[in-house]
Each structure stands twice: as C-alpha cells, then as structure tokens.
Amino acid sequence: MLLYISSMIVGVAALVSINSFGDNLRQAIDAQAETLLGADLSFEGRTPFSDVIEAVIDSLGGEQSRRTSFASMAYFPATGDVRLSTIRGHEPGFPYYGEIETDPPEAGRSYITGRNALVDGTLMHQFNVSVGDSVRIGTVMYRVAGRLIQTPRETAAVMLFSPRIYVPLAELDKSLLQRGSRAEYEVYFRFRDGRDADAIVDELKPLLRAHNVRTDTVKEEKEGWDRSLSNLYRFLSLVGFMALILGSLGVASSIHVYIRQRIQTVAILRCFGAKAWSTFHIYLFQAIGMGLVGVTIGSALGFGIQALIPIVLGDFLPVDVAFSVSWSAIWLGAGIGMGVTILFALLPLLSVKDVSPLIAFRSELETDTHRPRSLFWWLINGIIALGIILFAVIQAPQPVVGVFYALGLFVVFGVLWIVARSMIILLRRHTPRNFPYVWRQGIANLYRPNNQTLIMTLALGLGTFLIATMLLAQQSLLKQISLVTDGDRPNLVFFDIQPDQVDGISRTLAEYDMPLIDSVPIVSMRITALNGETIESMRADSTRRLTWAHSREYRSTYRHGLTDSEELIEGVIVEAVSTNHEGLIPITVESDVAETLDLAVGDSVEFNVQGIAVRTEISGIRTVDWQRMQANFFFVFPSGVLEEAPQFNVVLTRASSEKIAAEVQSSVVQHFPNVSSIDISLVMNVFDAIFRRIAFVIQFMALFSIIAGLLVLSAAVFISRFQRMEESVLLKTLGASRSQILRIMLVEYSTLGLLAASTGLVLAIGAGWGLANFVFEVDFVLPVQYLLYLVLAELTLTIVVGFVNSRGVYERQPLEVLRSEV
C-alpha cells in the first residue's frame, strides 16, 4: 500500500505542481502584460526615423519617450577592464508601466538626469565595480548610479549574453551612432485617452512596413512571450507526463505485490462461491480507494512544490510569478492521475479472476502464465494505450504535441524493453560456467522466474536517459565552442573599425605581438528587387509572404575567391571586375539564403547600397560553416565594385591568453572609443554559464522522474522479496554464510545497475547524436569520463536501494518460511 500510494503521490504531485505553475505564469503574463512592454505602443527601426515616420509620430501625440540601443565597449577606469555591452540611451518617462529595478532603488529614477549610468549587476560583480565608480562609453564618462536588477522586456538569462548599461539619451556619444553602427531606434507611447494601440498599428502597417519600421503593442508582446515560453510549457508538460507514467509503473508493480499476497484469500473466497469477476471487483475497488488517498496527498504536495518552480526558473521568466491556487490544475492533475492509475492497475488485477479455488488447499498450484491471452487482456492493453494518448493530448500545449509525446513514450519504452529482454537472453545463454558460484547465482537471479529485471531496467534506464542526454548535448555544444579557439584560429574580433583606423589597430596589435589574421571590409545594403520584382510590390501583394531574408539589412564584403570555411556547390566565382564593368555584377550567395529567397544561378538581385542602386547576378552558390570563427557572409561581391562605398572593417586576431586579450582590448578602446570587440573565450564562459542554468532546470525537473523511478525500483525489488526469502533459507540450510548471500545480492544488483545504465546510455547516445547533428548542427562529443561517473552513480543507487529493500532476508528462520508453504 505504501509503494502504491507513494507512486501515485509522485505522479500527481508532478502534474499538479507543473500545471499550477503554468496557470500562474499565464495569469502573471496577462496581469503584467503592460510591464512587459513598458508602454502602450512602440515603433522600432534599424535607422533613424524618416521625416514621414517622424510626422506620424507627431500626429499620434500622447506621452512619448525615445530609446536608442547599440553594442559598444564599456571601459571601467578603476580596474582597466572592458566588456562589450548593450548600451541603452533613454529619455525621461520610460517605462510608463512597471519600473526599472535597481540597487539602490532610487537610482532607477534619478539616473536619467546628468551623466549617470545603471550597470548590469553581473557585470559590476565580475569587474568589482561599485556604485560611485565610473564607466566610459565611447568618449563620455558616466558615474555608476546603481546596479540593474530587472528591466522591462529582458530576463536575467538574456542579460548574461550581453550585459545592459542604461544611460540618459541626451548624454550619449553621438560618434558611436555613425554609419556602420548597428543601432536600434525606438519610440514608446502611452495613451491616457484609451486609444486602441492594435487598431493604430493595423491602420499604419502598410506605411510603417514600407519604411522598415516594426511595431509592438501590449497584445503583441504578450503573444510573443507566449510563443517564447511554448517550449518551456512543452518541456514542463513532458516532465509531468513522464513522471506520471513512471509512477504508474510503480502502481502496477505494487498491485502485483498486493495481489500476490492475497492469492490465498482470493482462493478461499472462490471456495465459498465468489465468482471470478466479483473478486476482481473487490480488489479493483480497493485499488481505487488507495488511489483516492494518493491523489489527495499528491495534489496537496504538488500545490506546495509549485512554489519552488518559479525560484528554479526565475532567470528565464519575464515576470514575477505569484503563488496562488489553481483549482483547474488540481482537478486536472487529480483526474489524469486517477485515470492513469486505474488503467495501470487493471493488468495485474486481471490475475485475480484466474485464481483457482484449489490454491486454498495446494499452495504449490500456480496459474498457468503461458496460456493464450484473453480477448479482455488485449482490450485492457488497447484501453491503456488509448488512455496514454488521451492523457498526453490533455497535458500537452497542443493536441498534435500530445500525440508525439505518447508515440515518443511508446518508442522509448519499446527500445528499453527490447534491450532489456536481449540482455536477459544473453545472460541466460552466455554466462561463463567457470565463474565462481556467487557470480553465477547472482546473475541467474536476473532471469529466474518472477524476475523484475525488465521493469527495473525501464525505470532506471529512463532516468539515466534523461540525465545522459542532457550531459551529451551540453558537452557537444561546449566542445564546439572550444574548438573555435583551438590552434591558430582567431579568438578576438574587433569591429566597427573605420577605414582610416585599420593601420592604428594593426600597430596596437603589433605592440602586443598579436597577428593580424584578417582585415575584412563590410558594406551595409538592402535588397530592393529580385528578378526584376521589387520588394515593395511583393509587400503590396497580400498573397505573398515575405521572410526575414527579404527585409533584413545585409552586411556584405568583397574579396577574391573562397575562405576555408566556404565551399562552392554550384556555378562559378568571379574574383574581380573592372571599374568600367557594364552589365550585372556577378556575386555569390550562401545556400540557405538562396533557398529562402528562391534564388538560383543566373537570377538577378538589386541592392540599395547606401542610396546607390547596384544590380547583380547570382554567379555561384556557397555553403558556409558558420561555426568557424571567421567573417562569414550571405552575399560576397568581387573586387572592383564596393571599394568606394561607405564601409567599416572587421579585424581578426589571436591572443595567447585572457590577460593579453583584456589588455589589448583596453588599449584599443582608449585610443579608438568607437571600436568594439568580442573575446570568444568570454563568449564561451557566458555560454557555459547559461547552459549550466538550463542544465540545473532540467535536472531539477528530472527529479520527478528519478523519484518515481526509485519507487518503481523499490516496488520491483520488493516483488522478488518472496523468492529471495526462499532462496536465502535454502542456501542457509545448505550451509551458505551471510557473506555469501550478501555477495550474491551484490552481484545481482551490480549487474542490474550496469544493465539499466547501459540501456539508458544507448538511448542517450542516440538522442545526443541526433540533437548534435540535426538540432544544434555541431560535432557529436562522447564525454567518456562523465558517462563513467554516471554509470558509477547508477550502480551505487541500485545497490543501495536493493539492499535497503532486502534487509532482514537472511535473518528469516527456515521453519518460518517452510511452514508458510505447508
């Protein structure tokens, strides 16, 4: 009963806590939707707004506040440290809803006057910066007025990738916004007269799209976060569903134990005239009664656990999630938990109707387990399968996702079952006869009658699968980033360099004995026409759907030939054209963009290059290895075309150590304040920090499945307790010592743990390989050392649980066991 109810509690607690948190999160986003945007409406563009858009902004009226955002180096004079950061220049007023949380609290309001700055707390901690210190952005020095804690539209995880620094817009160094800088220009509105921001957007959309102005409203921001959090919802619902299924396996094991203990009672009832179905109903009602107890306790426990989930996921959430009761989640979790429990209890309960009355007089008489399966047995299995699909559909964010949940579950359990059965057959047929008796007896326990090897492999294998898959994905991604900086590849990138600054940067690198690996010119441009059809006419056609590739700003280059990260797969490369070239300019295009834009060799593309129309023709299509630390481009021009266009340069170099990298960045930013840089090793550290947080979240959620797996393991070990008692008595009668019996059990549990870990690892390696190659598109890494640690932990866990549940077996007296069989 304890195992049965415990399995129910874990499964229901997982469902109730996760569903309650999901409901609370949606309610928090609905209630705080305005604070997500900080205003009623925003206009956003990659360039300063045109006169037409400025006229529209003036006509809308209301309260307005502007913001300009761009990436730049932040230099801290007190320590000499520099870091690429996202600089946000604000006008007074923003945010209109919510507030900028800072330490001290008043800094969020007072920084806007004077040359003050709010600096991301992680950045301040990293460089040991205190309130009152200075930070220089460009040529302007600011006083650090406070530490940024929380800001509208940004989570703590996002700020790890690019730390934020807030400064007054009026105090910005305007030289940082010169041609070539990737700045975002925004204006925020608040309408106190109750105007509908979405209606305004619908009316102005054609005009705004024509001028490449994006909009955002409270409704759009909310929908955007809903889409962003959809993966989180899917993951959480999957965790809850898997925990429930594992708990249901524990239910099935526990019912099996319970019925096995009640065989004599059932036989006596049959002797007194009870029908087979009557006895079946008796124990079914008992299972339902115990299930109600488990559902009640599980719902209460889940209600308490939901308070922990926002703490674990806090860095990834855009809002504060309040703790409240979600009755719909409680009723849903309890209903699904009860339904799944009853379904999984039916199969072991079917054995009740096959109990013969003769067992009351002849205990050695057993039900024939090899008889053909009845129609009712197949019907129950079909109902269980349909029930799993139905519950998955209910639990998943979308019905189709639920179907895939269920199908994936069937596949995973099917593979685990096949591997476990194969291992049992191999052990039975190929256990060496020259092994010591203790080893042969321990291994034989895994395939003797009534063994629980299969169900224990399912439980432990799934837990191993979840943890190992996460570990493999993490190591593959981290290894890919470390490979970027191996050997002589560049690990430091300087960009936004004006043409007349390249020589100065080169001299600075020479002072630190650092090579100038490459200097790449970059020219900004936009596509205006494809094969003679303009982008404007495409936008006007409501039947056409434009992609990101149609409207983005491209940063292209000109050069001779290919780099070592590129491969020509179609057409030819024209390395240079004459200055008096007539006709279309031959260019090459990256294969993915060519597919998105539906371009082929010979097609024409017209660009707007800083106000000049340049007509080109696709002469070749390239593939690009974007993981290589090089300057890679979608479009590449031949020499002789763009040399006179406004441009900036990117310089790639390699630092021998993090200390040298920091020193040269500090020197460059002091002499060339407009130049920014990226230290790839620092990017790797940030990525590692983010991934560790994600890993912690997944491991925390996997605890539900692991606890459920432990309960299944305990139930499975307890099932075989009867056989162990008989074997222990017989071995004691034949003269076996306590040490021998314990060593037999040690061999059995060690082999079982190794089998379960191997099964989970086989699946995890396959899943990790698939994630690396098809999702992350990186080389698969097999971290043998970490996997060995995981196998060791699995062995230890199995042995501990096995011995705890088998305690007291050796102490049973022979007569006590033998009399129970008389």
Side-chain angles (χ1 to χ4, degrees), residues 502-787:
V502 174
D503 291 340
I505 298 292
S506 301
R507 287 192 296 270
T508 302
L509 296 181
E511 293 174 4
Y512 287 89
D513 252 354
M514 294 171 58
L516 195 156
I517 297 175
D518 201 1
S519 177
V520 183
I522 295 178
V523 180
S524 299
M525 60 189 67
R526 289 184 180 274
I527 295 176
T528 56
L530 296 171
N531 291 317
E533 185 178 7
T534 65
I535 298 296
E536 286 76 8
S537 64
M538 294 181 187
R539 288 197 181 112
D541 186 353
S542 60
T543 63
R544 300 284 294 273
R545 183 176 181 180
L546 302 189
T547 67
W548 60 270
H550 291 82
S551 57
R552 67 163 288 155
E553 180 183 58
Y554 288 93
R555 297 198 161 191
S556 304
T557 192
Y558 53 91
R559 62 167 180 242
H560 292 75
L562 297 171
T563 66
D564 56 3
S565 65
E566 299 175 321
E567 179 182 354
L568 185 69
I569 60 174
E570 189 177 349
V572 297
I573 293 178
V574 178
E575 295 184 351
V577 298
S578 62
T579 55
N580 58 355
H581 176 82
E582 296 182 359
L584 303 179
I585 305 298
I587 64 172
T588 61
V589 61
E590 191 267 342
S591 56
D592 289 336
V593 170
E595 182 179 354
T596 304
L597 294 174
D598 195 22
L599 292 176
V601 172
D603 288 347
S604 65
V605 181
E606 182 177 310
F607 291 93
N608 180 337
V609 183
Q610 313 291 324
I612 304 297
V614 178
R615 299 187 63 202
T616 67
E617 179 183 30
I618 303 298
S619 67
I621 298 177
R622 300 167 287 113
T623 59
V624 176
D625 182 2
W626 296 101
Q627 273 74 43
R628 296 291 294 273
M629 189 52 230
Q630 299 182 201
N632 296 311
F633 300 90
F634 290 122
F635 292 97
V636 175
F637 284 68
S639 299
V641 180
L642 300 177
E643 280 79 356
E644 300 303 321
Q647 58 192 266
F648 64 94
N649 286 65
V650 169
V651 167
L652 291 84
T653 184
R654 178 170 184 82
S656 57
S657 66
E658 291 186 10
K659 180 181 178 182
I660 296 297
E663 289 180 1
V664 73
Q665 288 181 91
S666 178
S667 177
V668 168
V669 79
Q670 291 185 60
H671 291 89
F672 309 100
N674 63 291
V675 175
S676 299
S677 61
I678 298 177
D679 185 348
I680 304 305
S681 60
L682 182 60
V683 172
M684 181 179 174
N685 293 336
V686 171
F687 179 87
D688 182 51
I690 288 291
F691 209 97
R692 288 182 187 279
R693 297 190 185 200
I694 295 174
F696 173 73
V697 170
I698 293 178
Q699 290 163 4
F700 176 83
M701 293 303 172
L703 281 177
F704 289 110
S705 297
I706 293 171
I707 293 173
L710 288 176
L711 290 173
V712 176
L713 174 63
S714 299
V717 172
F718 195 78
I719 289 174
S720 60
R721 184 181 177 88
F722 301 103
Q723 283 74 32
R724 285 192 175 83
M725 286 182 180
E726 295 177 4
E727 292 167 1
S728 176
V729 165
L730 292 175
L731 290 173
K732 284 175 64 175
T733 304
L734 295 174
S737 66
R738 174 193 292 269
S739 173
Q740 288 177 310
I741 294 177
L742 291 178
R743 279 185 287 150
I744 289 173
M745 294 170 58
L746 179 63
V747 170
E748 176 184 355
Y749 293 133
S750 299
T751 307
L752 177 63
L754 184 62
L755 170 62
S758 302
T759 306
L761 286 181
V762 168
L763 282 173
I765 291 172
W769 177 85
L771 287 173
N773 286 276
F774 301 111
V775 178
F776 303 123
E777 297 183 354
V778 298
D779 293 333
F780 176 60
V781 175
L782 194 64
V784 177
Q785 179 181 1
Y786 291 109
L787 296 181

Side-chain angles (χ1 to χ4, degrees), residues 45-58:
R46 292 287 187 181
T47 59
F49 298 123
S50 65
D51 293 339
V52 174
I53 299 302
E54 288 290 355
V56 171
I57 293 173
D58 290 339

Side-chain angles (χ1 to χ4, degrees), residues 106-129:
E106 63 273 10
R109 296 180 297 273
S110 62
Y111 87 99
I112 205 69
T113 58
R115 288 190 173 181
N116 298 306
L118 302 177
V119 180
D120 173 64
T122 303
L123 193 59
M124 293 181 64
H125 177 74
Q126 178 185 1
F127 294 148
N128 195 27
V129 176

